[in-house]
Amino acid sequence: MKKIVLVSSYTFHYRLKVYNYFSKRFRELGYEFVLLTEGKDNIDGELHFRTIVEKPGIMRYIRCIENEKPDAIITFLTLKDLVNFPVSLYCKAKNIPLVAWTKSIDIKTPNHKLKNFLYHRLHDLADAMVLYTPNEIKFVKKKNHHKVFFGYNTLSFDDFEKEKVPGIDYVKKKYGIRENTIVLFAATIKPDKNLDALLDFPSMNKNIAVVVAGRGITDEQKNKIATLDNYYYIGQVPYDDYEMNALFKSASYFTTPGDLGLALNQALFWAKPVVALDGPHSVEVYYLNSGYNGYLAKDMSDFWAFIDSMENDQDAYHKLTENCQETFNSKADISNMFKGFIDAINFAIKHRK
C-alpha cells in the first residue's frame, strides 16, 4: 500500500477526528495515512490511523521520514516549527512529493516582511499547496497560483450520531437555564474572542439567555455575569460528541463577538445562525455570509437589534437556519476538505514524476 505522512505540530482533538476521516478516504484510494506529530490530545474513541509522537528535532524527523518511505508528505507547520524548512528541503532533495497545508502566511501579521519572505520560500519548495479557503490566495505569489488547492477548513462529523444528542430540555435542566432562546458563546476565553463585548453591552431582552462556555474566564468577567440575571457561565464543557453538541443543538444563535474560528462550522452543522462583530476574524469567516446565514454587526447595539429582529420574525429566522444548513452542505462538509487534499497530492505526485 502507498503511504502519506502528515508532519504536524501539536495535534488537537478536532484535528484527530478530521484525520480519522482522511484515513478512511485515503485507504479507499490505496494509501496508508500516518501522522508524525510532537504531541496530541486524547479523544473518546479510537484512532484509525498510525500515529508517531516524536519530540521535534531535525534529525529525528528526517529519520522518521526515511523509515516510513512515504509516497507523499503533507506539512502542517508554521515558522515557529523549526523542522519546517529542513523537512521541505529534504523532500526536495529526495524527490518526495510535498504538499504544504497552510494559511499561506501569518494572517495576524499580514504585513510582516520577514515572515512573508520565509513563507514565500516555503511556497516555492512545495509541489502543491492546500489553503484553508480561497480568501488566502491573495497572499501567495502569482507564480505559485497554479499549484494551489483549497481544503475548506472544517470539522468532521463523520460517523456522528446526531439524533443521539440531547436537546434543550436536557441543557436547561442541567445548567439551570430559564429562557428558551439561547445565545451561545463557546470558546477558549481569550481577549481576541471579545467576551467583554457581551458583558459590557448585555442583552436587554429578558427572554434571551446568554450562555458562556469555555476555560480562561477572569474573575472580573465572572463577577459581571453574576450581576446579569439572564447570563450563565457553565465552565469548560467536555469536548465530546454529546455535551458540547448538546449546547449547539439547543442554542438559537452562536457567537464569539471577536475572532470566529472553527466553532462557526459547528454552528452551521446545527443550522444555527452566527452573529459577531464586523472586524478581524480567522479564515473560517469565509463561510459567514452576513444577512444570509448570520450577521456581522457594526457594534453591539446593532448586534442585539439583529437578534431581536429575528426573534420577532420567525420566518426570517427559519430562512437563516435553512441557509446555514445549505452553507454547511455545499462548503463546510468534510468531503470538500478532503477533495482539496487528494487533488493536491495527485498534482504533487504528477509534478514530481
Side-chain angles (χ1 to χ4, degrees), residues 12-14 41 185-195 212-218 221 233 235-237 239 244 248 254-263:
F12 294 100
H13 52 85
Y14 54 89
D41 284 346
F185 175 107
T188 299
I189 301 171
K190 299 183 293 185
D192 63 353
K193 298 298 182 181
N194 204 0
L195 172 60
V212 177
R215 60 183 171 86
I217 196 167
T218 66
Q221 289 169 330
Y233 176 59
Q236 183 176 0
V237 177
Y239 198 101
M244 182 60 77
F248 277 89
F254 175 78
T255 186
T256 52
D259 184 29
L260 287 166
L262 274 168

Side-chain angles (χ1 to χ4, degrees), residues 125-242:
L125 289 169
D127 298 299
M129 297 168 59
V130 174
L131 302 185
Y132 282 45
T133 77
N135 282 344
E136 293 82 66
I137 198 169
K138 60 180 175 284
F139 301 120
V140 178
K141 296 286 188 183
K142 286 189 177 180
K143 66 177 181 178
N144 286 323
H145 281 196
H146 69 286
K147 59 184 178 182
V148 169
F149 298 84
F150 303 111
Y152 293 89
N153 199 43
T154 194
L155 300 168
S156 177
F157 296 96
D158 186 54
D159 295 329
F160 174 60
E161 296 180 282
K162 195 173 185 178
E163 66 280 358
K164 290 188 177 181
V165 176
I168 191 166
D169 291 341
Y170 167 85
V171 167
K172 288 179 67 177
K173 181 178 180 180
K174 179 168 185 175
Y175 299 109
I177 297 168
R178 297 178 296 274
E179 300 80 5
N180 289 320
T181 297
I182 295 175
V183 175
L184 174 65
F185 175 107
T188 299
I189 301 171
K190 299 183 293 185
D192 63 353
K193 298 298 182 181
N194 204 0
L195 172 60
D196 287 331
L198 289 174
L199 305 184
D200 294 337
F201 304 93
S203 170
M204 294 294 104
N205 188 336
K206 298 308 178 183
N207 295 316
I208 290 175
V210 178
V211 176
V212 177
R215 60 183 171 86
I217 196 167
T218 66
D219 289 339
E220 182 181 1
Q221 289 169 330
K222 283 184 181 179
N223 290 335
K224 288 179 181 178
I225 289 174
T227 67
L228 299 166
D229 289 340
N230 58 329
Y231 275 57
Y232 304 81
Y233 176 59
I234 62 174
Q236 183 176 0
V237 177
Y239 198 101
D240 58 29
D241 281 348
Y242 297 101

Side-chain angles (χ1 to χ4, degrees), residues 4-52:
I4 293 167
V5 172
L6 170 62
V7 183
S8 175
S9 51
Y10 189 90
T11 306
F12 294 100
H13 52 85
Y14 54 89
R15 292 291 179 204
L16 292 169
K17 293 185 178 183
V18 167
Y19 301 156
N20 264 346
Y21 176 84
F22 277 21
S23 177
K24 179 177 73 173
R25 293 294 307 276
F26 278 129
R27 194 179 302 114
E28 292 169 354
L29 298 171
Y31 288 100
E32 179 190 7
F33 175 80
V34 179
L35 172 65
L36 170 57
T37 181
E38 65 181 72
K40 62 182 179 66
D41 284 346
N42 294 318
I43 63 170
D44 293 336
E46 63 178 303
L47 299 179
H48 304 308
F49 54 91
R50 192 156 50 86
T51 301
I52 304 168

